Amino acid sequence: MTVEEREAFLADVHIGVLGITDPGHGPLTVPVWYAYEAGGLVTVMTARGSRKAQLLESGTRVSLCAQTERAPYQYVSVEGPVVAVEEHADEAERRAIAERYLGAEMGALYLEATADTAADEVTVRIRPERWRTVDYNKQFG
C-alpha cells in the first residue's frame, strides 16, 4: 500500500488487535475499538483495571493490526510507542468511537449502558512508527 492507502485503511472502521508485551508470558493480544486520522495518533480507551491498561504506560511499544475479513484480504499493522495514558476518557471521544463502530443509535445505547463505568476508563495514545501492509486486491482484485 502507498502511504495514503495505508493511512486511509487504518482510519477506516476495523476491529484492531492490540499486542502488548506481558513479561513472563506471551504477548497480550486483544481486540479493540480504536480511532485514527491520517498522520495522527491511534487512540484506544480501556478500563483502568484491565490487564491491558496495567501493561500500557508511556514509552511501552505496542502493535496494532487491522484487517479485512473477506478475500482478497488487506491488512495494516503498526508498531510504536505509547505516548500518553490519560487518566480519564473524554466523553466526546467516547461518543465518537462508539458511533464509529455502532452508529448513532446503537452508539447512544452503548454509552447509556456503560455510563456507570465510563469514569474508570483511561485513554491511550499510540504513535505509529513502523508500518506493515498487504493489499491482495492489487494482486488478485
Side-chain angles (χ1 to χ4, degrees):
M1 291 184 192
T2 66
V3 170
E4 293 79 17
E5 290 169 336
R6 75 185 189 193
E7 289 194 348
F9 185 91
L10 191 60
D12 203 358
V13 179
H14 302 281
I15 300 295
V17 177
L18 186 66
I20 311 162
T21 299
D22 190 355
H25 304 279
L28 176 68
T29 54
V30 291
V32 294
W33 290 352
Y34 69 91
Y36 175 76
E37 291 183 16
L41 302 175
V42 174
T43 298
V44 175
M45 295 177 185
T46 189
R48 181 176 286 106
S50 69
R51 182 69 181 146
K52 177 177 22 174
Q54 293 168 2
L55 294 170
L56 292 169
E57 58 185 45
S58 289
T60 300
R61 293 192 74 79
V62 299
S63 297
L64 178 85
C65 183
Q67 66 184 27
T68 57
E69 296 291 326
R70 288 189 169 69
Y73 300 104
Q74 299 170 293
Y75 76 81
V76 168
S77 178
V78 296
E79 176 201 330
V82 172
V83 296
V85 178
E86 300 166 8
E87 287 302 311
H88 301 285
D90 178 77
E91 186 58 33
E93 279 188 298
R94 282 188 84 241
R95 179 170 302 284
I97 289 177
E99 289 180 357
R100 168 182 165 86
Y101 284 92
L102 300 173
E105 185 177 330
M106 290 298 295
L109 291 172
Y110 169 82
L111 291 170
E112 182 180 323
T114 60
D116 291 346
T117 59
D120 292 326
E121 289 187 356
V122 296
T123 302
V124 179
R125 308 218 189 260
I126 303 158
R127 182 186 319 108
E129 290 182 345
R130 294 179 57 195
W131 295 71
R132 292 173 185 82
T133 65
V134 167
D135 182 353
Y136 288 113
N137 284 304
K138 292 183 176 184
Q139 294 174 352
F140 306 110

